[in-house]
Amino acid sequence: MSLANQILELKKSKKAIVLAHYYQRPEIQEIADYVGDSLGLSQKAAETDASIIVFAGVHFMAETAKILNPSKMVLLPDLDAGCSLAESCPPDAFREFTAAHPDHLVITYINCSAEIKAMSDIVCTSSNALKIVESVPEDRPIIFAPDKNLGRFISQKTGRNLLLWDGSCVVHEAFSIEKLLDLHKANPESVIIAHPESEKHILDVATYIGSTAGMINYVKEHPQEKFIVATEAGILHKMQKEVPNTELIPAPAQEDNTCACSECAYMKVNTMQKLYDCLLNESPQINIPKALAQSALLPIERMLELSK
């Protein structure tokens, strides 16, 4: 029996659900019950009646699922599936930062640890960050963390002067503007689309800027175009399935590598074998201290309420 079929049988017998991010390996996306961006995954985690949640993503995503489902077992295929953006915001340093600005409302991007969420007033994703910032009265100052690129983009869109934490994602800062412009010059009919975690010089040349789900929807709405896609290359699997006859080109990274694109090593840590093993052994499990989970739940619930 194939590994995929073994996973399907285990899922059925254990009443488990597999949630996968768009940046996961294609074979993991194929076996998942739901593939989505951070907002969609949070919503699915909040509403599932499965006994076990296997999160094929990175650590902060599995933490979020556990916060939303404290009584359920949440598994992560590999505990080393971290996040450079989450790591760029250490809790002790962020606590000092917020304490120095007590009048500020704290909005944090979901790509952060449970400790950071617990210090927040509202959590957001790239899909709803604009809506959430706009929901705050204009006279209320805002701290936005941890992604400075997303924060700068939202500040520009809203005209709000956000106080930004100096964090970023190495994957979205790996794009080469020089190579991107050369690629566009060689494909002048192509449309550049980009994730707002990318640096300003990438966003400045993009026709469309949006979340992973937003980018997929944009391509579906314009299937006759050719696209250069500036986000983690794992998105191309789902995107190409939605528009099989559309040419999709990954935006080039500064570093010369085998895929000539930007990939998240953390996302690719998860494999089918690890997915099978974690479901079989019900390990490694994600556990969060009760008080911390309760503190982190409130800003996540505010986000989900504002996203309806």
Side-chain angles (χ1 to χ4, degrees):
M1 188 187 296
S2 70
L3 194 55
N5 283 333
Q6 290 179 66
I7 292 170
L8 289 172
E9 287 209 346
L10 271 178
K11 277 200 307 178
K12 188 175 179 180
S13 66
K14 298 198 176 204
K15 295 180 180 175
I17 187 173
V18 175
L19 303 178
H21 193 273
Y22 289 126
Y23 297 164
Q24 289 293 289
R25 298 169 184 269
E27 60 271 26
I28 290 179
Q29 293 188 43
E30 288 298 315
I31 204 75
D33 296 280
Y34 176 80
V35 182
D37 63 0
S38 292
L39 177 59
L41 290 166
S42 296
Q43 290 168 327
K44 285 293 176 184
E47 68 189 33
T48 185
D49 58 0
S51 300
I52 298 174
I53 299 171
V54 183
F55 217 110
V58 293
H59 197 272
F60 78 80
M61 296 177 178
E63 272 191 339
T64 303
K66 183 63 178 179
I67 290 165
L68 288 164
N69 297 276
S71 64
K72 295 184 188 295
M73 184 185 296
V74 176
L75 305 173
L76 183 66
D78 192 323
L79 289 177
D80 288 333
C83 171
S84 60
L85 178 53
E87 290 169 6
S88 74
C89 192
D92 288 346
F94 191 64
R95 189 174 290 106
E96 289 182 15
F97 185 71
T98 55
H101 305 90
D103 57 330
H104 284 57
L105 186 89
V106 180
I107 298 177
T108 52
Y109 188 30
I110 200 167
N111 300 39
C112 64
S113 66
E115 288 86 356
I116 299 301
K117 290 181 176 72
M119 294 181 224
S120 310
D121 294 295
I122 313 175
V123 168
C124 72
T125 71
S126 52
S127 294
N128 59 26
L130 183 64
K131 182 179 182 180
I132 284 174
V133 168
E134 287 180 334
S135 75
V136 179
E138 289 191 15
D139 59 350
R140 184 76 191 272
I142 296 172
I143 286 173
F144 190 93
D147 193 276
K148 62 183 178 183
N149 294 315
L150 175 59
R152 188 182 298 114
F153 172 71
I154 297 299
S155 178
Q156 183 181 333
K157 292 286 284 186
T158 60
R160 300 286 291 268
N161 183 25
L162 306 179
L163 181 59
L164 305 179
W165 176 263
D166 188 18
S168 60
C169 164
V170 295
V171 174
H172 288 97
E173 289 202 332
F175 298 116
S176 165
I177 187 64
E178 292 80 11
K179 289 181 181 179
L180 176 61
L181 293 175
D182 286 345
L183 181 62
H184 191 257
K185 191 174 180 181
N187 298 272
E189 74 283 18
S190 63
V191 176
I192 298 171
I193 60 175
H195 193 281
E197 284 182 45
S198 304
E199 292 178 288
K200 186 178 184 298
H201 54 239
I202 301 293
L203 300 184
D204 284 346
V205 299
T207 296
Y208 174 80
I209 300 164
S211 68
T212 44
M215 294 169 81
I216 289 172
N217 288 333
Y218 185 82
V219 169
K220 284 168 66 177
E221 290 165 5
H222 303 83
Q224 73 282 1
E225 306 283 0
K226 178 195 287 190
F227 293 94
I228 298 174
V229 184
T231 191
E232 209 274 354
I235 196 178
L236 296 175
H237 177 70
K238 174 68 171 175
M239 194 176 273
Q240 196 71 77
K241 285 176 71 174
E242 296 290 347
V243 284
N245 300 315
T246 299
E247 185 174 354
L248 306 173
I249 309 169
Q254 293 159 8
E255 180 187 350
D256 292 320
N257 55 29
T258 53
C259 70
C261 64
S262 189
E263 284 196 322
C264 176
Y266 289 120
M267 283 284 187
K268 302 305 190 275
V269 160
N270 296 317
T271 63
M272 289 286 279
Q273 186 63 53
K274 289 176 184 176
L275 184 58
Y276 171 78
D277 290 342
C278 89
L279 195 46
L280 178 69
N281 301 318
E282 299 183 0
S283 175
Q285 294 186 28
I286 299 296
N287 290 300
I288 303 170
K290 187 176 180 180
L292 174 60
Q294 287 176 337
S295 296
L297 177 61
L298 291 171
I300 296 171
E301 287 182 331
R302 290 186 187 119
M303 172 192 77
L304 293 174
E305 186 61 33
L306 284 166
S307 300
K308 286 179 178 176

